Amino acid sequence: MCGIVGGIAQRNVVPILLEGLRRLEYRGYDSAGLAVVNGGELHRKRELGKVQGLAALVEADPMPGLLGIAHTRWATHGKPSTANAHPHTSGDKVAVVHNGIIENYAVLKAEQLAQGYEFTSQTDTEVIVHEVFGALRTAGNLLAAVRQAVQKLSGAYALGIISADEPDVLVACRKGSPLVIGVGIGEYFIASDVAALLPVTQRFMFLEEGDIAALRIGSVEIYNADGQRVERPIRESLLSPDAVDKGAYRHYMLKEIYEQPTAIAQTLEGRFINHRLQESAFGHNAAQMFDEVKAVQILACGTSYHAGLVARYWFEELARIPCQVEVASEFRYRKPMLAADTLVVTISQSGETADTLAALQEAKKLGAKYSLTLCNVPESSLVRESDLVLMTRAGPEIGVASTKAFTTQLVTLMLLVMALGRRFQLDAALEAKITAQLFSLPQKIDKVLRLNDPIRLLSEQFAEKNNALFLGRGAHYPIAMEGALKLKEISYIHAEAYPAGELKHGPLALIDADMPVITVAPNNSLLEKLQSNMEEVSARGGQLIVFMDETLVPAVNGAVQMIKVPQVDNEISPILYTIPLQLLAYHVAVLKGTDVDQPRNLAKSVTVE
Ligand code: G6P
């Protein structure tokens, strides 16, 4: 998703902007650009492709400046091209970088064309910069012009704006898309997330919806949506600049897969006293709210949605709590029915996913009294808009394909099952058992990670494949879905997941010697049923690959390849079985030579609808 960086300082900001863009690369993008004000003029460079390409242009023809804005673009309106890359300019005076979507851009564009403005891109962003340029005629200064211009915009935006005529101010604003201000010593920066600015500061202000800020050397003024001057607190980030380094790993994704034992240990830390989960971990008034809750509605997108699907089995099987799970983009427009005493649980790595945020707002409008978010980014929009919060503490996740965020989401979901389950049918003995299982997870995952070599070997069989089918049952069906999602996201192999019992209702027609069928087969009460489904595949000559408890042997006629997964307790088994599927997708992608950490067309943080 588009990334913004900007700065005003008494030193050349260009290297800071370029480093910031590199640190935002993980969000996914197709082109990059930057603009500075120097000597009363705007200077701009843009490049299709990687930030490295833009950096090379700047190296070949330096363009220093004390005031500048920069951007990585993820195409929404108009194809990836240099002309569509930001910053966009108007009258060679004003430049803007934008993250979000301007929904009424067609109307504004028609107006502006009639006024004689020329358009050089197909983006929705260009109308913003013309609107600001136009407003400058009457507004008197850039801040006032931006305030006037944004009144006309509908949709979502985070903006950084500079003007050649005002070299002493960087104007920034946000509505619906994230933007932070980095506070240096006398110097100020803006960025789409804190990671971009960690090399220059660890102190941040988080803009609220509708805020407009004017950043100058030594001062920052912020105005809220009503135009009143406001203060936003400075918060210290606990992230170190190298928290987003790849270390010795070839890809962030592999690093993040291997970080899962630590991430899960961090997620559990400090949340138990004498082996008992503390409900205060969810917020100081959590216990009171939980007492009122009669059901759970989970809302999320992508991998986070899969975590919710696993949790539905847990809520209903382990605690007998009614639980619904829905993709946020559907929920927000479906006119759903929601009882006021339903706990609305959003799950999100970034906390900024536009659909999830909108779904939460919709749930509140429908009368839901209680909301909780399971999130990985402190200070994110979902964290700020939810009554209760449980952070997943996975640490920064850079690979677009989510790994450690997913498994820590599952852990926090299980904590929620325990906390609410006490009020339903989850007894103390089962709670104690699950607690012990959760604490055993880091060690168990370490063991599963030793499957890396056999899985790498297995991945060679996928290099020439175009399709794959994933099967699972019960809580392992969403794990199969997550395995299929990982494979398609990063290896571009078409992969689908099915509940194994559904095989005979359609997908069986796809089975032939060319179709790998990956089965998630833990040792549980559904294993026999699953073995019958495997027989169905084997009888039709399908290529069966089974991830199965090491103590068992697949009772299936015909050839089966088995990856032996260490024994695991039933309740936490979905978390463990996720890991080998992550490794499989990773190795297949490496073999296929794709861009593992930034797969084509995808974004890490989807801040537009
Ligand atoms: C994008 C990412 C996925 C992620 C999904 C939801 O599609 O590429 O990895 O699962 O958004 O993101 P969230 O930050 O809300 O978990």
Side-chain angles (χ1 to χ4, degrees):
M1 200 71 359
C2 299
I4 288 177
V5 194
I8 180 159
Q10 276 166 323
R11 54 178 165 156
N12 179 15
V13 294
V14 170
I16 298 169
L17 301 188
L18 285 171
E19 176 58 22
L21 290 186
R22 280 188 199 103
R23 287 170 166 263
L24 292 178
E25 283 190 301
Y26 76 93
R27 293 164 70 92
Y29 70 105
D30 47 61
S31 51
L34 73 87
V36 295
V37 170
N38 194 349
E41 281 181 9
L42 267 184
H43 300 269
R44 170 174 70 155
K45 286 200 197 313
R46 297 175 296 168
E47 179 75 338
L48 186 62
K50 296 287 174 190
V51 171
Q52 198 39 44
L54 176 69
L57 284 184
V58 172
E59 201 180 332
D61 176 20
M63 47 178 282
L66 311 182
L67 168 66
I69 50 178
H71 191 263
T72 46
R73 173 171 187 258
W74 186 80
T76 57
H77 294 62
K79 63 179 197 284
S81 69
T82 309
N84 286 334
H86 301 208
H88 289 287
T89 60
S90 188
D92 286 331
K93 286 284 181 207
V94 184
V96 67
V97 285
H98 169 217
N99 172 18
I101 288 179
I102 303 305
E103 284 165 0
N104 60 339
Y105 89 99
V107 178
L108 296 176
K109 187 168 178 174
E111 272 175 36
Q112 294 171 355
L113 282 168
Q115 290 160 18
Y117 284 99
E118 277 177 22
F119 281 78
T120 58
S121 79
Q122 302 152 316
T123 65
D124 53 332
T125 302
E126 215 176 338
V127 298
I128 305 174
V129 72
H130 292 324
E131 209 57 52
V132 174
F133 183 82
L136 266 170
R137 269 187 240 123
T138 49
N141 63 47
L142 186 64
L143 176 63
V146 172
R147 193 178 285 143
Q148 202 173 306
V150 296
Q151 301 297 327
K152 295 191 73 174
L153 307 178
S154 64
Y157 51 80
L159 303 172
I161 306 145
I162 55 175
S163 161
D165 292 339
E166 293 181 55
D168 61 337
V169 66
L170 167 59
V171 177
C173 55
R174 69 156 288 200
K175 186 173 158 249
S177 300
L179 199 69
V180 300
I181 296 180
V183 181
I185 301 171
E187 51 189 27
Y188 289 93
F189 302 92
I190 55 169
S192 296
D193 72 38
V194 296
L197 299 177
L198 288 173
V200 281
T201 184
Q202 263 150 306
R203 301 168 71 224
F204 295 93
M205 289 175 178
F206 294 85
L207 291 180
E208 302 275 327
E209 279 294 276
D211 279 357
I212 301 187
L215 285 60
R216 297 188 171 82
I217 297 290
S219 79
V220 58
E221 287 162 47
I222 304 177
Y223 298 87
N224 67 14
D226 300 327
Q228 285 153 342
R229 178 89 189 256
V230 286
E231 298 292 325
R232 300 290 176 219
I234 295 181
R235 301 189 197 278
E236 199 86 24
S237 167
L238 299 175
L239 292 175
S240 73
D242 57 9
V244 289
D245 272 0
K246 231 183 295 186
Y249 290 91
R250 182 164 166 200
H251 295 101
Y252 281 110
M253 182 178 175
L254 190 61
K255 176 178 178 243
E256 287 157 7
I257 290 173
Y258 274 83
E259 278 173 349
Q260 289 177 108
T262 320
I264 288 175
Q266 273 167 203
T267 300
L268 293 171
E269 203 184 296
R271 287 170 168 166
F272 290 77
I273 295 181
N274 292 332
H275 309 290
R276 189 171 163 82
L277 173 66
Q278 300 300 296
E279 293 181 356
S280 54
F282 296 88
H284 72 277
N285 50 351
Q288 242 172 317
M289 289 195 184
F290 288 169
D291 284 346
E292 307 289 315
V293 167
K294 298 282 181 296
V296 171
Q297 170 71 60
I298 297 178
L299 301 168
C301 304
T303 289
S304 301
Y305 167 65
H306 292 161
L309 288 177
V310 175
R312 181 174 57 181
Y313 288 88
W314 289 342
F315 276 113
E316 299 202 337
E317 276 178 31
L318 303 174
R320 312 299 293 152
I321 303 173
C323 175
Q324 306 255 17
V325 189
E326 190 160 4
V327 162
S329 56
E330 283 300 310
F331 180 91
R332 64 182 287 194
Y333 293 118
R334 193 174 59 81
K335 307 223 178 331
M337 317 235 328
L338 198 61
D341 49 13
T342 299
L343 179 66
V344 174
V345 178
T346 54
I347 310 171
S348 176
Q349 188 288 125
S350 62
E352 301 293 352
T353 301
D355 283 322
T356 311
L357 254 172
L360 170 62
Q361 288 153 2
E362 184 58 28
K364 287 184 181 172
K365 268 195 227 149
L366 290 168
K369 281 197 283 181
Y370 314 111
S371 61
L372 180 150
T373 192
L374 304 173
C375 187
N376 199 39
V377 179
E379 305 293 347
S380 60
S381 302
L382 276 172
V383 167
R384 281 183 280 133
E385 292 191 22
S386 302
D387 302 321
L388 303 174
V389 175
L390 190 65
M391 299 306 300
T392 41
R393 298 196 195 141
E397 188 180 68
I398 306 297
V400 164
S402 186
T403 51
K404 61 177 180 171
F406 179 67
T407 45
T408 53
Q409 284 167 352
L410 289 177
V411 168
T412 53
L413 280 161
M414 189 60 110
L415 298 184
L416 182 61
V417 171
M418 287 161 62
L420 284 177
R422 290 169 182 166
R423 291 149 172 95
F424 289 77
Q425 290 184 36
L426 191 132
D427 62 31
L430 182 54
E431 189 182 329
K433 187 175 159 213
I434 297 173
T435 304
Q437 290 181 18
L438 288 174
F439 279 91
S440 73
L441 261 173
Q443 216 184 351
K444 295 233 163 86
I445 294 179
D446 268 332
K447 273 202 201 160
V448 179
L449 287 168
R450 289 186 215 144
L451 294 174
N452 187 47
D453 286 340
I455 292 175
R456 184 171 40 219
L457 275 179
L458 174 70
S459 68
E460 288 170 13
Q461 296 174 28
F462 284 76
E464 304 302 323
K465 301 287 182 199
N466 296 317
N467 298 289
L469 201 56
F470 286 69
L471 300 180
R473 274 185 174 259
H476 295 81
Y477 164 49
I479 297 305
M481 292 170 80
E482 176 57 12
L485 177 64
K486 287 288 86 92
L487 190 68
K488 73 182 123 190
E489 276 179 317
I490 59 170
S491 75
Y492 315 150
I493 292 176
H494 170 236
E496 270 192 82
Y498 261 88
E502 190 65 10
L503 195 59
K504 51 193 173 296
H505 298 295
L508 213 47
L510 299 172
I511 306 294
D512 62 15
D514 256 350
M515 175 67 92
V517 180
I518 298 114
T519 311
V520 187
N523 187 10
N524 63 22
S525 59
L526 293 169
L527 184 61
E528 256 179 48
K529 304 265 176 226
L530 192 62
Q531 307 241 39
S532 310
N533 304 134
M534 291 194 252
E535 284 284 11
E536 294 162 6
V537 172
S538 181
R540 283 149 187 95
Q543 190 192 347
L544 263 180
I545 297 159
V546 185
F547 290 85
M548 195 175 213
D549 191 296
E550 63 189 358
T551 59
L552 303 172
V553 209
V556 177
N557 289 303
V560 176
Q561 293 180 72
M562 178 175 162
I563 296 282
K564 296 182 174 188
V565 180
Q567 258 188 305
V568 57
D569 303 298
N570 245 326
E571 287 75 14
I572 55 162
S573 160
I575 307 178
L576 260 287
Y577 275 80
T578 302
I579 316 287
L581 300 185
Q582 295 171 341
L583 287 169
L584 179 65
Y586 172 76
H587 287 299
V588 174
V590 169
L591 274 179
K592 296 203 84 170
T594 61
D595 191 342
V596 174
D597 287 329
Q598 292 159 37
R600 69 183 181 202
N601 307 339
L602 297 182
K604 179 74 185 159
S605 176
V606 182
T607 52
V608 295
E609 205 181 324

